[in-house]
Amino acid sequence: MSKTTLQVDEVVIRFAGDSGDGMQLTGTRFTEATAIVGNDLSTLPDYPAEIRAPAGSVAGVSAFQIKFSSKDIHTPGDKPDVLVAMNPAALKVHQKELAPGGTIICNANAFSSKNLKLAGYDSNPLEDNSLEDYYTVYSVEMGKMVSLACKDMGLPAKTVDRSKNFFALGLLFWIYDRPMKPTKDWLGIKFGKRPELVESNIRALDAGYNYGETTEIFMTRYTIDKASLPAGTYRNVVGNYAISLGLAAAAEKSKLNLFYGGYPITPASDILHTLSAWKHLGIKTFQAEDEIAGMGSVIGAAFAGDLGITATSGPGIALKSEAMGLAVIAELPMVIVNVQRGGPSTGLPTKTEQSDLFQAMYGRNGEAPIPIIAPGTPGDCFFAAYEACRIAVKYMTPVIVLTDGYLANGSEPWQVPELDDLIPFDVKFADKSDLLDGQFMAYLRDKDTLARPWAIPGTEALEHRIGGLEKEDVTGNVSYDPENHHYMVETRAKKVESITQEFDPTEIYGDKSGDVLILSWGGIMGSCRAAAESLQKDRQKVSHVHLRWVNPLPKDLGEILMGFKHVLIPEINFGQLIQIIRAEYLVDAKGLNQVRGKPISSSDIEKTVKELIG
Amino acid sequence: MADSAVQTYSRADFSSDQSVRWCPGCGDYAILAQTQKVFPELGIKKENFVFISGIGCSSRFPYYMNTYGFHTIHGRATAIASGVKLANPNLSVWVVTGDGDGLSIGGNHTIHLMRRNLDINVMLFNNRIYGLTKGQYSPTSERGKITKSSPMGSLDCPFNPLTLVLGAGATFVARTIDRETKHMQEMITRSYGHKGTSFLETYQNCNIFNNGAYTSLTDKGTKADSVLWLEDGKPMVFGSEKNKGIRLDGNKPIIVEIGDKWGLDDVLVHDESDYVIASLLSNLTYQSDFPDPIGVLYAIESVTYEDLMMAQINEAIKKSDKKSVQDILNSGDTWIVE
């Protein structure tokens, strides 16, 4: 019987297994191979917060989802078409989300009575026919085949067993016709000092691939055409890496030294790790004793003329908040990245959420407005980080970048930018020429931006004192004068508001008027765009607007909202942007709010839009 | 790190135009005056001095110095100063803090600065009370102290600041007294001269909320018996006749009378580089039978954090062929869409 090849537009695969099964790694390698093939793709890693939950338990299941397509896609997909389940717990957790008629590929060797019991199965689902009516099930003895493939190597059984994820990967490579070489090269680098591991993993990978090709179990291969992307050099990028690149690019373009002060926290630590590895760009990283000290060090570095950066997650922002207020009143430039995660308190450290918008807007004592930019995709994290730095310095203000766990760890193919194409970003520190009658005026503002001068220690004749007490306009001396305080509060707010002059007109995806406007911010952009696309194909009068700057809001937004009968605001929180929009524009916006640690699906958004239209 | 071609400054050059607003009679005036007196002598350009403070009476200090200054938030001055120093290691960075700011709310940052050994000078004014908030007990207040927040006496055992910073790895530890202006000048100069973090505690009288906290160390009648003036390489003697000394009895310090039984040779000789002696001295504080050691307890040379950081950066720059972010962007697994 010859094998057939089917051409499809898109596929969603979910790799799921125990935390120790290497699912994130398997997913990442599949993603890299898929990127090289030229498909558009979007990924969603989903891993537990426990460092190591008991092996085989439901709590310890780690998953990685990838959607890849010949079309332009915006989300990692709602329901997987294929579930790779490395053990019973993984099947238990993820089977319910599989698309009807989907495919399950299991590692049969992990379905021992102990593991079945741990997962809460009374009988083996691979043997009791409970799945066959709904899904196509492939029960593959991955563990056994890997041990056969490595039999003559003399490696401990445990070591060999750890390669079984590469068997699964090899099998999927065969089914979806992906190149093996990048992964083999990568293995060579990764385990360079342990050639026996390079060998065992490559054997497992080949065994999986050959299993697909030679057995008569898998009869169909699938091909997915290249997506038609604009010409250029591409790479796959995850959000936290893109943020790091954007920050480093801002430092290079502005010729400022990048100083990063922070404290490890999930899911932001990768930014600290990445920047720490870029010392060759002159980047200084400082792992402080706590979140507060991280923020403090950044304020100090900004005072002394560095591009000050910190990154954290919601609990860290809570600790940094007092210092952020100091940054507001001291009017010093710096960027604070919040990679949002599930809250409150420690909450769901590894899961995504958008519930820190209010914290970013209002989470400080006093009137302390801070501009907020929220990237919409992993690749956009680069541009948002760059933009945040540029605005911070131009307007002499702290800027918050609000990303989330989904953007931070999710990935997409990304056209590599040229630094030369980025908006120039020149910095001029104050000097003697800024003296007024021989005096330096620390709070004498630029007419257009309301920015005060950046006068750094070491500059002759500009010695001055700043601090957290209210400042007198122009001089910056301490002032308790009531009129001055009112004026300064107003001026700091106006300064943030004036950033709207940097904005391009708001882009509307779809018509300027219609039945429903889907309004989004942050990482939920992809689901909203996908829903709008689908509804527009259905000839529904639905448009989509995505807010990149959440504070200040674009000047033209009020008029745009007026063009629609309904405004729908999906958010992974219990309704935060919606309250701001309702308060600001007095529109009766509706929310779609889910806090389940994952993106809201485009199908849920579509459903809600249809209900609104009636 | 004296600058070349530095103009001659006077004390007035370091006085800002802001009127000083401490309570009349506050010990802080003396510290400000001695600092302004010493700074013109240090041979460094005025614009290279930075004062960072937190919150409290002491933390108003930067406003009165005509240098760069930043009056920040409660307890965080050392963290902010660390950022300043790492951004520009050429600056002479000074932290002014108090017993509440530096040891209570900011205790964590204080100890971590010590172990990192950035070249920052910490001046901690210890008045053993919260002054700015009008008189609550502080981390250095004695147990049983009656204050507004401890009407039946405080329950806390006080911190011994010098023992604390020695334990945290400080490389320069000293103490002076607000009334001892000459000695304070010397200590400020020594702090400046130390490469690495210097920690200078000043016993400072709060004449409003804790008047007389150090009377025994400043009153003519009791001073000689209460203060142990430390000098490197000199025997530890005290008393109006210089006839008492500190001697080790096994591991235990004892007070001996110099005369028939004990000579000067039997008395412990101060060695600033000896950690054991420094620890022993720091622990004499709060022991009512012993004099309080004043002077440099400990001073050793050790590599600074900023030098290590810059060395790593320079090494990485030398070793890497990726000079631009563009090189990183273009590296790794990329593909071309035509």
Side-chain angles (χ1 to χ4, degrees):
Chain A
M1 213 157 71
S2 70
K3 306 213 172 191
T4 54
T5 300
L6 268 179
Q7 190 163 340
V8 290
D9 283 343
E10 62 182 40
V11 180
V12 179
I13 300 175
R14 189 179 292 179
F15 296 93
D18 196 62
S19 301
D21 285 340
M23 288 298 98
Q24 300 306 319
L25 197 150
T26 310
T28 308
R29 295 325 310 163
F30 192 87
T31 303
E32 289 296 334
T34 298
I36 290 165
V37 169
N39 299 139
D40 195 7
L41 67 88
S42 175
T43 65
L44 175 67
D46 178 17
Y47 50 91
E50 285 79 7
I51 290 169
R52 193 70 207 268
S57 70
V58 169
V61 173
S62 171
F64 186 102
Q65 182 163 314
I66 174 171
K67 177 177 179 177
F68 52 106
S69 173
S70 57
K71 305 245 160 55
D72 182 19
I73 55 166
H74 311 294
T75 76
D78 294 354
K79 290 179 179 300
D81 304 304
V82 180
L83 172 65
V84 178
M86 300 301 285
N87 69 0
L91 181 64
K92 183 87 178 183
V93 172
H94 293 289
Q95 177 217 316
K96 51 185 176 285
E97 290 182 19
L98 195 60
T103 299
I104 296 173
I105 302 172
C106 285
N107 172 24
N109 296 117
F111 282 66
S112 63
S113 55
K114 183 187 165 205
N115 281 346
L116 288 164
K117 207 173 150 196
L118 273 170
Y121 281 112
D122 293 329
S123 65
N124 188 345
L126 300 182
E127 289 166 2
D128 64 10
N129 297 326
S130 59
L131 299 171
E132 268 74 1
D133 289 349
Y134 309 100
Y135 312 109
T136 308
V137 182
Y138 296 101
S139 173
V140 183
E141 293 190 298
M142 298 185 193
K144 189 176 159 193
M145 268 174 293
V146 169
S147 88
L148 283 173
C150 299
K151 201 172 140 195
D152 58 341
M153 289 184 69
L155 288 172
K158 263 195 172 171
T159 307
V160 172
D161 192 59
R162 276 197 211 113
S163 308
K164 62 183 179 293
N165 58 326
F166 279 90
F167 182 95
L169 183 63
L171 177 57
L172 272 289
F173 277 167
W174 178 81
I175 299 174
Y176 293 101
D177 195 14
R178 318 270 100 173
M180 306 263 276
K181 190 170 179 299
T183 295
K184 289 183 177 174
D185 292 347
W186 178 87
L187 278 167
I189 295 164
K190 170 91 179 168
F191 297 116
K193 286 178 185 157
R194 307 272 313 267
E196 74 280 12
L197 294 183
V198 179
E199 175 73 18
S200 63
N201 283 306
I202 287 179
R203 284 193 190 193
L205 189 72
D206 283 335
Y209 192 94
N210 295 339
Y211 184 83
E213 189 159 80
T214 53
T215 66
E216 302 227 322
I217 298 166
F218 292 91
M219 296 309 295
T220 312
R221 297 184 85 177
Y222 300 88
T223 60
I224 293 94
D225 278 350
K226 286 184 180 188
S228 56
L229 299 166
T233 303
Y234 281 76
R235 63 182 301 145
N236 191 51
V237 77
V238 299
N240 271 348
Y241 194 70
I243 286 263
S244 310
L245 283 166
L247 296 169
E252 189 169 326
K253 289 280 278 192
S254 63
K255 300 185 179 68
L256 291 169
N257 289 313
L258 195 162
F259 175 89
Y260 180 99
Y263 189 75
I265 185 169
T266 303
S269 300
D270 280 341
I271 300 172
L272 167 64
H273 305 160
T274 304
L275 293 176
S276 299
W278 288 346
K279 289 185 172 54
H280 54 86
L281 297 178
I283 290 173
K284 302 171 209 171
T285 55
F286 176 64
Q287 183 176 312
E289 57 272 22
D290 60 26
E291 292 280 0
I292 299 171
M295 190 69 237
S297 69
V298 168
I299 292 172
F303 180 55
D306 271 5
L307 181 61
I309 309 289
T310 190
T312 183
S313 191
I317 294 286
L319 289 164
K320 290 179 189 304
S321 294
E322 188 199 12
M324 287 163 69
L326 176 66
V328 170
I329 199 166
E331 302 191 41
L332 287 168
M334 67 199 72
V335 170
I336 301 137
V337 181
N338 176 358
V339 185
Q340 297 167 94
R341 66 189 217 187
S345 188
T346 310
L348 301 171
T350 60
K351 310 290 177 185
T352 198
E353 212 160 276
Q354 292 185 292
S355 46
D356 296 344
L357 177 57
F358 280 170
Q359 185 191 39
M361 287 287 293
Y362 313 118
R364 292 164 293 284
N365 63 301
E367 300 286 347
I370 297 183
I372 303 164
I373 188 168
T377 67
D380 187 35
C381 288
F382 173 88
F383 298 102
Y386 183 84
E387 188 69 353
C389 295
R390 191 180 71 81
I391 294 298
V393 171
K394 186 170 174 181
Y395 290 80
M396 289 292 283
T397 175
V399 174
I400 293 174
V401 180
L402 264 187
T403 77
D404 56 52
Y406 163 65
L407 291 177
N409 294 315
S411 66
E412 63 173 347
W414 184 57
Q415 189 173 0
V416 177
E418 292 291 327
L419 293 195
D420 290 345
D421 298 339
L422 298 171
I423 304 177
F425 176 0
D426 298 319
V427 180
K428 190 190 164 288
F429 292 121
D431 58 26
K432 268 176 147 175
S433 69
D434 292 283
L435 292 178
L436 207 68
D437 298 333
Q439 293 283 310
F440 176 62
M441 298 297 170
Y443 278 72
L444 184 64
R445 295 173 189 281
D446 179 274
K447 281 197 300 294
D448 298 326
T449 62
L450 299 178
R452 74 178 192 88
W454 195 3
I456 62 172
T459 313
E460 194 189 345
L462 267 53
E463 292 89 351
H464 66 284
R465 276 66 56 193
I466 58 170
L469 287 168
E470 183 60 282
K471 304 280 162 298
E472 184 179 63
D473 184 33
V474 182
T475 66
N477 288 331
V478 173
S479 167
Y480 300 108
D481 177 69
E483 290 308 316
N484 177 74
H485 176 56
H486 185 90
Y487 177 79
M488 290 299 272
V489 168
E490 197 174 39
T491 304
R492 286 188 288 263
K494 266 190 198 160
K495 183 172 84 163
V496 170
E497 206 50 47
S498 73
I499 292 168
T500 54
Q501 68 196 351
E502 304 280 332
F503 298 178
D504 291 330
T506 302
E507 189 194 315
I508 306 172
Y509 180 78
D511 293 334
K512 279 184 182 166
S513 62
D515 291 334
V516 179
L517 177 74
I518 304 172
L519 184 64
S520 67
W521 72 277
I524 200 155
M525 174 181 143
S527 299
C528 293
R529 181 57 54 93
E533 264 179 10
S534 164
L535 289 158
Q536 286 173 10
K537 261 190 211 154
D538 261 7
R539 299 186 181 281
Q540 303 281 358
K541 291 177 184 161
V542 175
S543 299
H544 174 215
V545 163
H546 179 74
L547 294 175
R548 195 142 172 277
W549 283 97
V550 192
N551 190 38
L553 290 166
K555 290 271 180 248
D556 55 0
L557 183 60
E559 207 186 311
I560 292 170
L561 298 175
M562 299 295 285
F564 295 86
K565 282 185 205 153
H566 303 283
V567 175
L568 175 69
I569 307 181
E571 294 177 87
I572 312 175
N573 58 39
F574 254 36
Q576 298 195 6
L577 179 67
I578 191 172
Q579 289 206 38
I580 295 167
I581 295 293
R582 279 168 161 253
E584 190 73 23
Y585 304 104
L586 299 175
V587 297
D588 186 18
K590 296 284 188 295
L592 169 57
N593 304 97
Q594 296 174 3
V595 280
R596 300 202 165 89
K598 56 187 177 184
I600 299 174
S601 70
S602 56
S603 55
D604 280 355
I605 297 169
E606 278 187 57
K607 202 174 128 220
T608 311
V609 169
K610 283 177 181 161
E611 282 164 10
L612 276 179
I613 295 171
Chain B
M1 59 158 165
D3 295 323
S4 56
V6 175
Q7 68 179 91
T8 319
Y9 295 113
S10 71
R11 186 178 157 173
D13 290 318
F14 285 96
S15 306
S16 78
D17 59 354
Q18 300 293 295
S19 55
V20 184
R21 291 191 187 169
W22 289 309
C23 305
C26 176
D28 289 356
Y29 283 95
I31 308 173
L32 178 64
Q34 301 326 310
T35 308
Q36 287 168 340
K37 200 160 183 185
V38 166
F39 270 37
E41 314 291 323
L42 297 180
I44 172 168
K45 288 180 181 168
K46 193 157 68 90
E47 61 267 26
N48 288 336
F49 285 109
V50 186
F51 271 87
I52 310 288
S53 65
I55 294 293
C57 295
S58 60
S59 289
R60 297 299 179 95
F61 198 94
Y63 287 123
Y64 311 134
M65 290 292 294
N66 188 21
T67 63
Y68 284 92
F70 200 171
H71 174 222
T72 70
I73 47 175
H74 206 11
R76 319 305 172 198
T78 37
I80 291 161
S82 299
V84 170
K85 187 69 185 180
L86 294 177
N88 184 355
N90 295 322
L91 298 170
S92 176
V93 181
W94 296 72
V95 167
V96 179
T97 184
D99 41 315
D101 189 62
L103 299 174
S104 191
I105 190 168
N108 192 32
H109 311 307
T110 299
I111 57 175
H112 287 278
L113 174 61
M114 296 304 139
R115 75 182 171 95
R116 290 190 186 110
N117 198 38
L118 277 85
D119 188 9
I120 290 174
N121 307 295
V122 179
M123 301 167 81
L124 184 134
F125 304 177
N126 183 5
N127 56 14
R128 308 188 73 177
I129 196 78
Y130 282 111
L132 191 71
T133 51
K134 300 193 164 75
Q136 300 83 11
Y137 62 97
S138 89
T140 54
S141 297
E142 58 276 22
R143 179 174 274 170
K145 188 170 193 67
I146 308 281
T147 71
K148 280 179 191 158
S149 57
S150 56
M152 293 175 71
S154 87
L155 306 175
D156 294 19
C157 180
F159 257 143
N160 179 336
L162 301 192
T163 302
L164 178 77
V165 298
L166 279 166
T171 56
F172 180 93
V173 179
R175 177 188 284 148
T176 188
I177 306 174
D178 57 1
R179 297 277 283 273
E180 300 289 341
T181 53
K182 279 264 163 352
H183 185 261
M184 195 193 301
Q185 289 170 25
E186 190 195 326
M187 289 301 106
I188 294 170
T189 307
R190 287 277 321 258
S191 296
Y192 170 78
H194 176 72
K195 189 162 161 57
T197 307
S198 69
F199 185 89
L200 172 61
E201 178 190 22
T202 302
Y203 281 166
Q204 172 246 326
N205 190 43
C206 172
N207 55 323
I208 305 296
F209 295 108
N210 199 20
N211 197 22
Y214 301 110
T215 307
S216 67
L217 305 183
T218 52
D219 269 12
K220 276 193 181 136
T222 52
K223 190 171 146 179
D225 281 332
S226 308
V227 174
L228 177 64
W229 295 102
L230 298 173
E231 277 185 85
D232 195 28
K234 300 275 173 64
M236 296 180 196
V237 292
F238 63 103
S240 49
E241 309 296 323
K242 295 278 177 202
N243 60 343
K244 294 182 204 172
I246 307 285
R247 178 183 159 72
L248 275 186
D249 178 16
N251 295 327
K252 227 177 87 186
I254 54 166
I255 295 172
V256 295
E257 205 151 321
I258 298 160
D260 301 340
K261 191 175 175 197
W262 306 104
L264 217 50
D265 291 349
D266 299 312
V267 172
L268 196 58
V269 173
H270 187 37
D271 178 356
E272 290 176 357
S273 66
D274 189 327
Y275 183 81
V276 174
I277 287 179
S279 307
L280 181 144
L281 284 169
S282 75
N283 284 317
L284 296 184
T285 302
Y286 301 155
Q287 291 193 38
S288 53
D289 301 343
F290 283 87
D292 222 346
I294 305 291
V296 177
L297 278 77
Y298 191 55
I300 55 157
E301 289 281 322
S302 184
V303 65
T304 65
Y305 186 98
E306 62 271 22
D307 283 355
L308 290 172
M309 175 185 259
M310 292 319 295
Q312 281 193 348
I313 288 174
N314 291 332
E315 187 191 339
I317 290 171
K318 214 192 285 175
K319 278 186 180 164
S320 176
D321 57 349
K322 297 193 175 67
K323 304 295 177 202
S324 161
V325 177
Q326 196 70 54
D327 298 330
I328 298 175
L329 281 164
N330 296 343
S331 66
D333 286 336
T334 61
W335 69 96
I336 291 170
V337 174
E338 283 161 3

